Every structure is written in structure tokens, then in C-alpha cells.
mmCIF file of all heavy atoms in Angstrom:
data_model
loop_
_atom_site.group_PDB
_atom_site.id
_atom_site.type_symbol
_atom_site.label_atom_id
_atom_site.label_comp_id
_atom_site.label_asym_id
_atom_site.label_seq_id
_atom_site.Cartn_x
_atom_site.Cartn_y
_atom_site.Cartn_z
ATOM 1 N N VAL A 53 0.837 -1.202 0.000
ATOM 2 C CA VAL A 53 0.000 0.000 0.000
ATOM 3 C C VAL A 53 0.871 1.251 0.000
ATOM 4 O O VAL A 53 0.609 2.199 -0.740
ATOM 5 C CB VAL A 53 -0.947 -0.013 1.217
ATOM 6 C CG1 VAL A 53 -1.739 1.271 1.305
ATOM 7 C CG2 VAL A 53 -1.865 -1.211 1.159
ATOM 8 N N GLU A 54 1.917 1.252 0.805
ATOM 9 C CA GLU A 54 2.804 2.416 0.873
ATOM 10 C C GLU A 54 3.491 2.654 -0.469
ATOM 11 O O GLU A 54 3.675 3.793 -0.885
ATOM 12 C CB GLU A 54 3.838 2.227 1.986
ATOM 13 C CG GLU A 54 3.231 2.115 3.363
ATOM 14 C CD GLU A 54 2.465 3.348 3.793
ATOM 15 O OE1 GLU A 54 2.773 4.463 3.311
ATOM 16 O OE2 GLU A 54 1.539 3.205 4.600
ATOM 17 N N ARG A 55 3.855 1.586 -1.161
ATOM 18 C CA ARG A 55 4.485 1.724 -2.479
ATOM 19 C C ARG A 55 3.494 2.305 -3.486
ATOM 20 O O ARG A 55 3.849 3.161 -4.299
ATOM 21 C CB ARG A 55 4.982 0.363 -2.959
ATOM 22 C CG ARG A 55 5.684 0.410 -4.304
ATOM 23 C CD ARG A 55 6.082 -0.950 -4.772
ATOM 24 N NE ARG A 55 4.870 -1.763 -4.922
ATOM 25 C CZ ARG A 55 4.884 -3.057 -5.148
ATOM 26 N NH1 ARG A 55 6.023 -3.705 -5.211
ATOM 27 N NH2 ARG A 55 3.761 -3.734 -5.291
ATOM 28 N N LEU A 56 2.223 1.886 -3.413
ATOM 29 C CA LEU A 56 1.194 2.442 -4.287
ATOM 30 C C LEU A 56 1.029 3.939 -4.043
ATOM 31 O O LEU A 56 0.973 4.729 -4.991
ATOM 32 C CB LEU A 56 -0.141 1.731 -4.071
ATOM 33 C CG LEU A 56 -1.335 2.360 -4.787
ATOM 34 C CD1 LEU A 56 -1.206 2.194 -6.288
ATOM 35 C CD2 LEU A 56 -2.617 1.783 -4.276
ATOM 36 N N PHE A 57 0.968 4.336 -2.781
ATOM 37 C CA PHE A 57 0.853 5.763 -2.466
ATOM 38 C C PHE A 57 2.052 6.542 -2.996
ATOM 39 O O PHE A 57 1.904 7.655 -3.490
ATOM 40 C CB PHE A 57 0.712 5.975 -0.962
ATOM 41 C CG PHE A 57 -0.611 5.550 -0.410
ATOM 42 C CD1 PHE A 57 -0.726 5.207 0.917
ATOM 43 C CD2 PHE A 57 -1.747 5.485 -1.199
ATOM 44 C CE1 PHE A 57 -1.943 4.821 1.447
ATOM 45 C CE2 PHE A 57 -2.965 5.097 -0.692
ATOM 46 C CZ PHE A 57 -3.069 4.760 0.635
ATOM 47 N N ALA A 58 3.234 5.966 -2.906
ATOM 48 C CA ALA A 58 4.435 6.637 -3.417
ATOM 49 C C ALA A 58 4.350 6.818 -4.929
ATOM 50 O O ALA A 58 4.703 7.883 -5.453
ATOM 51 C CB ALA A 58 5.680 5.841 -3.051
ATOM 52 N N HIS A 59 3.866 5.800 -5.651
ATOM 53 C CA HIS A 59 3.707 5.929 -7.098
ATOM 54 C C HIS A 59 2.683 7.001 -7.441
ATOM 55 O O HIS A 59 2.876 7.783 -8.376
ATOM 56 C CB HIS A 59 3.278 4.600 -7.716
ATOM 57 C CG HIS A 59 4.360 3.584 -7.778
ATOM 58 N ND1 HIS A 59 5.584 3.825 -8.370
ATOM 59 C CD2 HIS A 59 4.411 2.310 -7.315
ATOM 60 C CE1 HIS A 59 6.336 2.736 -8.272
ATOM 61 N NE2 HIS A 59 5.651 1.816 -7.640
ATOM 62 N N LEU A 60 1.583 7.052 -6.697
ATOM 63 C CA LEU A 60 0.559 8.061 -6.969
ATOM 64 C C LEU A 60 1.067 9.471 -6.693
ATOM 65 O O LEU A 60 0.733 10.406 -7.417
ATOM 66 C CB LEU A 60 -0.694 7.787 -6.133
ATOM 67 C CG LEU A 60 -1.519 6.577 -6.547
ATOM 68 C CD1 LEU A 60 -2.654 6.362 -5.560
ATOM 69 C CD2 LEU A 60 -2.043 6.721 -7.956
ATOM 70 N N MET A 61 1.874 9.638 -5.673
ATOM 71 C CA MET A 61 2.368 10.969 -5.324
ATOM 72 C C MET A 61 3.408 11.482 -6.309
ATOM 73 O O MET A 61 3.735 12.663 -6.306
ATOM 74 C CB MET A 61 2.942 10.978 -3.906
ATOM 75 C CG MET A 61 1.890 10.812 -2.832
ATOM 76 S SD MET A 61 0.605 12.062 -2.911
ATOM 77 C CE MET A 61 -0.815 11.100 -3.368
ATOM 78 N N ARG A 62 3.910 10.615 -7.182
ATOM 79 C CA ARG A 62 4.826 11.080 -8.226
ATOM 80 C C ARG A 62 4.090 11.945 -9.239
ATOM 81 O O ARG A 62 4.714 12.740 -9.933
ATOM 82 C CB ARG A 62 5.476 9.887 -8.928
ATOM 83 C CG ARG A 62 6.508 9.208 -8.050
ATOM 84 C CD ARG A 62 7.094 8.006 -8.701
ATOM 85 N NE ARG A 62 7.795 8.352 -9.923
ATOM 86 C CZ ARG A 62 8.227 7.455 -10.792
ATOM 87 N NH1 ARG A 62 8.025 6.177 -10.560
ATOM 88 N NH2 ARG A 62 8.854 7.827 -11.866
ATOM 89 N N SER A 63 2.771 11.782 -9.334
ATOM 90 C CA SER A 63 1.967 12.652 -10.191
ATOM 91 C C SER A 63 1.675 13.923 -9.403
ATOM 92 O O SER A 63 0.997 13.878 -8.382
ATOM 93 C CB SER A 63 0.652 11.970 -10.574
ATOM 94 O OG SER A 63 0.908 10.784 -11.281
ATOM 95 N N ARG A 64 2.165 15.045 -9.888
ATOM 96 C CA ARG A 64 2.057 16.294 -9.115
ATOM 97 C C ARG A 64 0.624 16.664 -8.786
ATOM 98 O O ARG A 64 0.338 17.200 -7.725
ATOM 99 C CB ARG A 64 2.705 17.435 -9.892
ATOM 100 C CG ARG A 64 4.208 17.309 -9.952
ATOM 101 C CD ARG A 64 4.826 18.492 -10.618
ATOM 102 N NE ARG A 64 4.559 19.695 -9.836
ATOM 103 C CZ ARG A 64 4.691 20.915 -10.315
ATOM 104 N NH1 ARG A 64 5.063 21.097 -11.565
ATOM 105 N NH2 ARG A 64 4.449 21.954 -9.566
ATOM 106 N N ARG A 65 -0.301 16.380 -9.675
ATOM 107 C CA ARG A 65 -1.687 16.765 -9.442
ATOM 108 C C ARG A 65 -2.309 15.958 -8.304
ATOM 109 O O ARG A 65 -3.251 16.400 -7.662
ATOM 110 C CB ARG A 65 -2.487 16.567 -10.727
ATOM 111 C CG ARG A 65 -3.860 17.166 -10.657
ATOM 112 C CD ARG A 65 -4.435 17.327 -12.030
ATOM 113 N NE ARG A 65 -5.836 17.696 -11.951
ATOM 114 C CZ ARG A 65 -6.582 17.905 -12.999
ATOM 115 N NH1 ARG A 65 -6.071 17.780 -14.206
ATOM 116 N NH2 ARG A 65 -7.838 18.235 -12.859
ATOM 117 N N LEU A 66 -1.799 14.776 -8.036
ATOM 118 C CA LEU A 66 -2.327 13.951 -6.956
ATOM 119 C C LEU A 66 -1.638 14.220 -5.622
ATOM 120 O O LEU A 66 -2.032 13.666 -4.606
ATOM 121 C CB LEU A 66 -2.205 12.469 -7.313
ATOM 122 C CG LEU A 66 -3.091 12.019 -8.470
ATOM 123 C CD1 LEU A 66 -2.758 10.588 -8.849
ATOM 124 C CD2 LEU A 66 -4.544 12.162 -8.119
ATOM 125 N N ALA A 67 -0.603 15.061 -5.627
ATOM 126 C CA ALA A 67 0.105 15.346 -4.382
ATOM 127 C C ALA A 67 -0.753 16.136 -3.406
ATOM 128 O O ALA A 67 -0.572 16.058 -2.202
ATOM 129 C CB ALA A 67 1.402 16.103 -4.675
ATOM 130 N N ARG A 68 -1.705 16.890 -3.920
ATOM 131 C CA ARG A 68 -2.658 17.633 -3.093
ATOM 132 C C ARG A 68 -4.056 17.339 -3.604
ATOM 133 O O ARG A 68 -4.248 16.956 -4.750
ATOM 134 C CB ARG A 68 -2.398 19.140 -3.175
ATOM 135 C CG ARG A 68 -1.030 19.548 -2.723
ATOM 136 C CD ARG A 68 -0.951 19.540 -1.191
ATOM 137 N NE ARG A 68 0.326 20.019 -0.726
ATOM 138 C CZ ARG A 68 1.337 19.231 -0.408
ATOM 139 N NH1 ARG A 68 1.227 17.944 -0.528
ATOM 140 N NH2 ARG A 68 2.462 19.739 0.029
ATOM 141 N N ASP A 69 -5.034 17.566 -2.788
ATOM 142 C CA ASP A 69 -6.410 17.283 -3.160
ATOM 143 C C ASP A 69 -7.045 18.535 -3.763
ATOM 144 O O ASP A 69 -7.682 19.315 -3.070
ATOM 145 C CB ASP A 69 -7.190 16.805 -1.937
ATOM 146 C CG ASP A 69 -8.529 16.231 -2.317
ATOM 147 O OD1 ASP A 69 -8.734 15.921 -3.508
ATOM 148 O OD2 ASP A 69 -9.382 16.086 -1.420
ATOM 149 N N PHE A 70 -6.845 18.731 -5.080
ATOM 150 C CA PHE A 70 -7.372 19.903 -5.762
ATOM 151 C C PHE A 70 -8.689 19.637 -6.470
ATOM 152 O O PHE A 70 -9.327 20.557 -6.944
ATOM 153 C CB PHE A 70 -6.369 20.413 -6.802
ATOM 154 C CG PHE A 70 -5.124 20.976 -6.196
ATOM 155 C CD1 PHE A 70 -3.885 20.520 -6.580
ATOM 156 C CD2 PHE A 70 -5.196 21.978 -5.239
ATOM 157 C CE1 PHE A 70 -2.726 21.042 -6.032
ATOM 158 C CE2 PHE A 70 -4.045 22.509 -4.687
ATOM 159 C CZ PHE A 70 -2.814 22.037 -5.073
ATOM 160 N N GLU A 71 -9.071 18.391 -6.596
ATOM 161 C CA GLU A 71 -10.250 18.049 -7.387
ATOM 162 C C GLU A 71 -11.536 18.409 -6.646
ATOM 163 O O GLU A 71 -11.639 18.230 -5.442
ATOM 164 C CB GLU A 71 -10.240 16.549 -7.713
ATOM 165 C CG GLU A 71 -8.971 16.063 -8.375
ATOM 166 C CD GLU A 71 -8.667 16.746 -9.682
ATOM 167 O OE1 GLU A 71 -9.596 17.096 -10.425
ATOM 168 O OE2 GLU A 71 -7.479 16.955 -9.970
ATOM 169 N N ARG A 72 -12.503 18.908 -7.385
ATOM 170 C CA ARG A 72 -13.794 19.268 -6.790
ATOM 171 C C ARG A 72 -14.756 18.086 -6.775
ATOM 172 O O ARG A 72 -15.658 18.034 -5.961
ATOM 173 C CB ARG A 72 -14.428 20.419 -7.563
ATOM 174 C CG ARG A 72 -13.697 21.716 -7.367
ATOM 175 C CD ARG A 72 -14.380 22.801 -8.147
ATOM 176 N NE ARG A 72 -13.609 24.020 -8.032
ATOM 177 C CZ ARG A 72 -14.093 25.128 -7.516
ATOM 178 N NH1 ARG A 72 -15.327 25.180 -7.093
ATOM 179 N NH2 ARG A 72 -13.344 26.194 -7.443
ATOM 180 N N ARG A 73 -14.587 17.172 -7.700
ATOM 181 C CA ARG A 73 -15.487 16.027 -7.800
ATOM 182 C C ARG A 73 -14.712 14.727 -7.625
ATOM 183 O O ARG A 73 -13.563 14.613 -8.044
ATOM 184 C CB ARG A 73 -16.188 16.033 -9.146
ATOM 185 C CG ARG A 73 -17.133 17.203 -9.308
ATOM 186 C CD ARG A 73 -17.936 17.054 -10.592
ATOM 187 N NE ARG A 73 -19.016 18.007 -10.631
ATOM 188 C CZ ARG A 73 -18.883 19.284 -10.952
ATOM 189 N NH1 ARG A 73 -17.686 19.759 -11.235
ATOM 190 N NH2 ARG A 73 -19.923 20.082 -10.974
ATOM 191 N N ILE A 74 -15.377 13.760 -7.046
ATOM 192 C CA ILE A 74 -14.744 12.458 -6.831
ATOM 193 C C ILE A 74 -14.427 11.804 -8.161
ATOM 194 O O ILE A 74 -13.394 11.151 -8.319
ATOM 195 C CB ILE A 74 -15.652 11.563 -5.970
ATOM 196 C CG1 ILE A 74 -15.758 12.146 -4.561
ATOM 197 C CG2 ILE A 74 -15.126 10.134 -5.912
ATOM 198 C CD1 ILE A 74 -16.731 11.431 -3.664
ATOM 199 N N ALA A 75 -15.282 11.977 -9.152
ATOM 200 C CA ALA A 75 -15.055 11.359 -10.459
ATOM 201 C C ALA A 75 -13.770 11.872 -11.103
ATOM 202 O O ALA A 75 -13.027 11.094 -11.714
ATOM 203 C CB ALA A 75 -16.253 11.620 -11.376
ATOM 204 N N SER A 76 -13.487 13.162 -10.980
ATOM 205 C CA SER A 76 -12.254 13.677 -11.581
ATOM 206 C C SER A 76 -11.024 13.205 -10.795
ATOM 207 O O SER A 76 -9.980 12.929 -11.388
ATOM 208 C CB SER A 76 -12.282 15.195 -11.678
ATOM 209 O OG SER A 76 -12.369 15.779 -10.406
ATOM 210 N N ALA A 77 -11.137 13.082 -9.477
ATOM 211 C CA ALA A 77 -10.023 12.544 -8.685
ATOM 212 C C ALA A 77 -9.765 11.090 -9.060
ATOM 213 O O ALA A 77 -8.615 10.664 -9.197
ATOM 214 C CB ALA A 77 -10.335 12.674 -7.196
ATOM 215 N N GLU A 78 -10.841 10.325 -9.239
ATOM 216 C CA GLU A 78 -10.695 8.927 -9.642
ATOM 217 C C GLU A 78 -10.058 8.825 -11.024
ATOM 218 O O GLU A 78 -9.192 7.976 -11.261
ATOM 219 C CB GLU A 78 -12.067 8.253 -9.642
ATOM 220 C CG GLU A 78 -12.028 6.781 -9.965
ATOM 221 C CD GLU A 78 -13.405 6.151 -9.940
ATOM 222 O OE1 GLU A 78 -14.391 6.846 -9.655
ATOM 223 O OE2 GLU A 78 -13.479 4.944 -10.217
ATOM 224 N N ALA A 79 -10.458 9.694 -11.938
ATOM 225 C CA ALA A 79 -9.867 9.694 -13.276
ATOM 226 C C ALA A 79 -8.372 10.002 -13.220
ATOM 227 O O ALA A 79 -7.583 9.411 -13.963
ATOM 228 C CB ALA A 79 -10.584 10.720 -14.157
ATOM 229 N N MET A 80 -7.970 10.906 -12.332
ATOM 230 C CA MET A 80 -6.551 11.230 -12.200
ATOM 231 C C MET A 80 -5.756 10.035 -11.654
ATOM 232 O O MET A 80 -4.606 9.822 -12.036
ATOM 233 C CB MET A 80 -6.356 12.442 -11.305
ATOM 234 C CG MET A 80 -6.806 13.746 -11.940
ATOM 235 S SD MET A 80 -6.060 14.061 -13.556
ATOM 236 C CE MET A 80 -4.333 14.071 -13.148
ATOM 237 N N ILE A 81 -6.356 9.264 -10.775
ATOM 238 C CA ILE A 81 -5.682 8.060 -10.264
ATOM 239 C C ILE A 81 -5.517 7.042 -11.380
ATOM 240 O O ILE A 81 -4.452 6.445 -11.547
ATOM 241 C CB ILE A 81 -6.455 7.473 -9.067
ATOM 242 C CG1 ILE A 81 -6.334 8.420 -7.870
ATOM 243 C CG2 ILE A 81 -5.948 6.079 -8.720
ATOM 244 C CD1 ILE A 81 -7.189 8.057 -6.688
ATOM 245 N N TYR A 82 -6.566 6.849 -12.197
ATOM 246 C CA TYR A 82 -6.449 5.944 -13.348
ATOM 247 C C TYR A 82 -5.365 6.419 -14.308
ATOM 248 O O TYR A 82 -4.580 5.633 -14.827
ATOM 249 C CB TYR A 82 -7.783 5.832 -14.086
ATOM 250 C CG TYR A 82 -8.808 4.978 -13.391
ATOM 251 C CD1 TYR A 82 -10.112 5.418 -13.232
ATOM 252 C CD2 TYR A 82 -8.484 3.720 -12.892
ATOM 253 C CE1 TYR A 82 -11.064 4.644 -12.604
ATOM 254 C CE2 TYR A 82 -9.422 2.938 -12.246
ATOM 255 C CZ TYR A 82 -10.710 3.407 -12.111
ATOM 256 O OH TYR A 82 -11.641 2.635 -11.485
#
């Protein structure tokens, strides 16, 4: 799980919670 979080945080947009909708946050994770 920690390794997954580290991979996700490499994407700058996912480093902070800027998304207004859950669907757009989910799309950014995909």
C-alpha cells in the first residue's frame, strides 16, 4: 500500500487534493 501511495504521489496533481469532484479525482488516479 505504501508503495502504491508513493507511485501516486509522483503525479504532481495527486500530491494535493485539488479536485472538486470524486469522479475527476478517480480519473486522475487511473
Side-chain angles (χ1 to χ4, degrees):
V53 175
E54 298 298 334
R55 182 183 61 189
L56 172 68
F57 289 156
H59 287 306
L60 289 175
M61 291 303 113
R62 287 177 62 191
S63 299
R64 290 185 63 197
R65 190 162 171 180
L66 293 173
R68 300 283 184 264
D69 192 16
F70 292 126
E71 306 301 326
R72 290 180 184 240
R73 294 187 169 79
I74 293 174
S76 62
E78 183 179 359
M80 289 306 301
I81 291 172
Y82 284 133

